[in-house]
Amino acid sequence: MVKSSIPSPSGWQNIPGILNRLVAGDFDGDGTADLAGLTANGGIYYSTDFVRWQNIPGMLVRLVAGDFDGDGQADLAGLAGNGGVYYSTSFTNWVYATGVLANLAGSSE
């Protein structure tokens, strides 16, 4: 039997928080990727410094990032549990986009 071990990654840093799904995008326009994600119960959080996580009110089951308003900064879109489609360009509120979907392109699952 051959025994192998996976070396621990050097240079990796633990980011505070527990999220089930992550998406990356440049949310603050500084040219570097930031993170957003969902908790197990659908809470939505984002971080532009990998230290502090900001909550965005609402509950989603899927999340994607993209520049939806053409300003050069990543925005978020997601699906609610009932299939409702929402997007946010401000990270403070969600706008309902008419329609119902089962999944979003680029979202996990």
Side-chain angles (χ1 to χ4, degrees):
M1 179 175 176
V2 176
K3 188 174 182 180
S4 66
S5 64
I6 300 172
S8 67
S10 61
W12 286 71
Q13 183 176 355
N14 184 32
I15 299 171
I18 298 175
L19 300 173
N20 288 345
R21 304 177 194 283
L22 286 175
V23 297
D26 184 6
F27 304 131
D28 60 5
D30 68 356
T32 61
D34 305 307
L35 293 175
L38 299 176
T39 64
N41 66 351
I44 310 144
Y45 289 84
Y46 75 98
S47 177
T48 58
D49 63 8
F50 303 124
V51 176
R52 292 176 299 274
W53 291 89
Q54 303 296 317
N55 178 252
I56 304 171
M59 303 280 282
L60 297 173
V61 296
R62 301 281 186 271
L63 188 66
V64 296
D67 183 4
F68 304 123
D69 60 4
D71 67 355
Q73 293 180 333
D75 307 305
L76 294 174
L79 289 178
N82 64 0
V85 181
Y86 293 85
Y87 69 93
S88 179
T89 59
S90 66
F91 294 81
T92 56
N93 59 22
W94 295 93
V95 177
Y96 177 71
T98 304
V100 175
L101 295 175
N103 207 348
L104 290 172
S107 70
S108 58
E109 292 185 38

